[in-house]
Amino acid sequence: LREAAREEDAASEPGDSNKEEPRPASQKPTARQRPDTPTGRLLDELAEQNASNDKFEDVWCKTLMQIVKIGPEAVPELIAELDATNDDMMLSCLGFMLRAIDDKRAVPALIRAIPKTLLPPGSDMGLLAEDEAIAAFMQRHDLSGRDEPMRYDFGRPVREIFGALQTLTGQSFDEEELYHVFLKGTEHQRSLKRELFARKAGQWAEWWERHWSEVIQDADYAKVNLPKPKPATPLSPFEANQHFQITGGLGNAMLESYTQAKRNYVFYDIDTGRYAGLPKTWQQADDAAAHLEEIVTWASREGFDMMGVDYTDPSSGQSYYALRPIGLEAWELSNEYWKFSSNDITFEALQAEGVPAAELLLHYDAEKEAFAPAETATFLIKSREGTPVLLFVGIEVKDDSLKPGKGRFEGDSELNPVSFYKGRRFGLKQFEELPETPKE
């Protein structure tokens, strides 16, 4: 009774990708000897259900309910499971159950689990129960805040684990910036993403070890004991004529202009997939445009590669939403490269087809020697970190009337004129090194 994963319902924000695959079926977990206790036996059942077609069915929900009903007595075994597992479904289940039990002893283990929530692409799920009591239980503890008959949401590990931390502590450290970061791309990108998740775990650990006594009384849970993260692999620009495959990446993404009222999704880091809004320092400024130079300097220091801006067409005086590059190199490609994929190509071959981009990531009309801001465009990008991507700049969105669960767009996401926010649509495809470079 699973619904299709829904961009509108899973997250009401730009940057979700309807090009991402729904959560794949979990592999049968490696057998683990759990204690012969009520909690241990139920975890055995849950692991089997997670690896079968029973997940997301009422019988699976019932197992979650039974574990939650055990209450605080189950928490030590749930903590042990959280430390032991790398299974994506089990990670999500543990975040959900620990949030429902509401026992703050789980916080250190949830923090230790943060690096494990960096996973390949997948979707949060909108689900439908058959039994009213089960639907009520799942709705009571899901993260959506919606109350639709028989419907509930179940998130990816990154959502469920951070959701549990936020519920148990009342704290948040901008972890939504990580919700669209997936384990894909070049090896250097993957290393940067692991470092990003480890840094967020460190931020949470630092806070907990300063404030644990304000939350719980049991000193056994005062330390997070977070493993020391491995540093990112040194940046090594790809070799000349390195062969790549160009694979699925991000779609249905959008950046708002930094001058707008909301300004929650203004900056994007190509290397990691991290988003950020305009910092509060400038959110509160009367005229953010007067601080553009400072804002760009901050964004560059933070590692962002693009930001949403406004562009006024000098010939018509009309204003458009646009994307501004930050420290990257870009070459505009012809329309035939829109949504281009390849199993074997070099960066240099694509670069030879392009024209160096100007100061904005908008289509440039060479004959008129001017931007054509209403048109779409394709760019070959190399970030300042050396990450190659294909960037597809879509249309601008001025209609922000989209409501959760309504109006799913059928067609090219970058041509959808309606969203939750106003801004400029974009998508991208990742380069991944081929295992071996073909010989000439």
Side-chain angles (χ1 to χ4, degrees), residues 68 94-103 137 141 164 167-168:
V68 170
L94 290 163
F96 183 96
M97 292 185 295
L98 288 167
R99 182 171 65 249
I101 294 172
D102 194 23
D103 188 320
F137 168 80
H141 300 295
T167 298
L168 293 174

Side-chain angles (χ1 to χ4, degrees), residues 182 184-186 189 193 244-250 268 270-273 342 387-390 428-432:
F182 297 99
K184 60 182 179 180
T186 64
Q189 276 184 279
K193 292 174 183 182
F244 296 94
Q245 59 180 342
I246 299 177
T247 62
L250 180 69
Y268 184 73
I270 285 172
D271 305 290
T272 65
S342 176
T387 297
V389 297
L390 283 180
L428 57 83
K429 286 193 176 181
Q430 302 277 356
F431 284 56
E432 291 186 0

Side-chain angles (χ1 to χ4, degrees), residues 107-257:
V107 170
L110 288 163
I111 294 171
R112 291 194 295 272
I114 290 172
K116 295 193 284 189
T117 66
L118 173 59
L119 294 165
S123 296
D124 304 302
M125 305 303 297
L127 301 163
L128 187 64
E130 292 183 310
D131 181 84
E132 290 185 3
I134 284 175
F137 168 80
M138 298 301 289
Q139 283 183 356
R140 188 159 60 249
H141 300 295
D142 74 8
L143 295 168
S144 72
R146 292 182 291 115
D147 188 18
E148 299 177 30
M150 309 305 287
R151 298 178 185 272
Y152 65 93
D153 286 0
F154 188 74
R156 294 170 290 129
V158 69
R159 298 266 192 179
E160 296 293 343
I161 294 296
F162 278 123
L165 282 169
Q166 292 166 359
T167 298
L168 293 174
T169 67
Q171 298 296 315
S172 179
F173 297 103
D174 297 324
E175 44 273 355
E176 65 276 1
E177 295 179 359
L178 307 185
Y179 289 171
H180 308 289
V181 180
F182 297 99
L183 191 59
K184 60 182 179 180
T186 64
E187 280 305 311
H188 182 65
Q189 276 184 279
R190 292 167 183 252
S191 181
L192 289 171
K193 292 174 183 182
R194 292 186 185 100
E195 186 179 57
L196 183 62
F197 274 65
R199 189 161 65 246
K200 187 61 67 176
Q203 188 177 9
W204 268 97
E206 182 181 356
W207 175 84
W208 176 257
E209 291 179 359
R210 286 203 315 266
H211 298 281
W212 69 269
S213 62
E214 302 166 18
V215 181
I216 62 172
Q217 303 302 315
D218 193 338
D220 289 343
Y221 297 90
K223 293 290 185 182
V224 173
N225 297 318
L226 196 66
K228 187 175 181 180
K230 295 180 180 179
T233 54
L235 176 61
S236 52
F238 52 85
E239 298 178 0
N241 296 311
Q242 165 74 49
H243 285 247
F244 296 94
Q245 59 180 342
I246 299 177
T247 62
L250 180 69
N252 202 29
M254 188 166 64
L255 289 183
E256 305 166 272
S257 171

Side-chain angles (χ1 to χ4, degrees), residues 255 265-268 274-279 295 298-299 304 306-307:
L255 289 183
Y265 296 88
V266 175
F267 305 96
Y268 184 73
R274 174 189 170 207
Y275 282 92
L278 191 68
I295 292 169
W298 170 85
F304 291 108
M306 298 191 306
M307 66 179 291

Side-chain angles (χ1 to χ4, degrees), residues 269-340:
D269 177 14
I270 285 172
D271 305 290
T272 65
R274 174 189 170 207
Y275 282 92
L278 191 68
K280 292 180 181 178
T281 301
W282 297 294
Q283 287 268 13
Q284 299 167 355
D286 293 333
D287 183 9
H291 301 276
L292 179 59
E293 185 174 340
E294 301 168 54
I295 292 169
V296 171
T297 298
W298 170 85
S300 178
R301 188 171 63 247
E302 285 289 311
F304 291 108
D305 297 293
M306 298 191 306
M307 66 179 291
V309 296
D310 303 292
Y311 169 71
T312 301
D313 186 345
S315 61
S316 67
Q318 184 174 346
S319 179
Y320 294 86
Y321 296 124
L323 303 179
R324 171 174 171 157
I326 304 174
L328 55 74
E329 297 179 82
W331 296 264
E332 185 174 3
L333 301 172
S334 64
N335 287 337
E336 66 186 275
Y337 287 99
W338 181 259
K339 303 304 174 72
F340 177 76

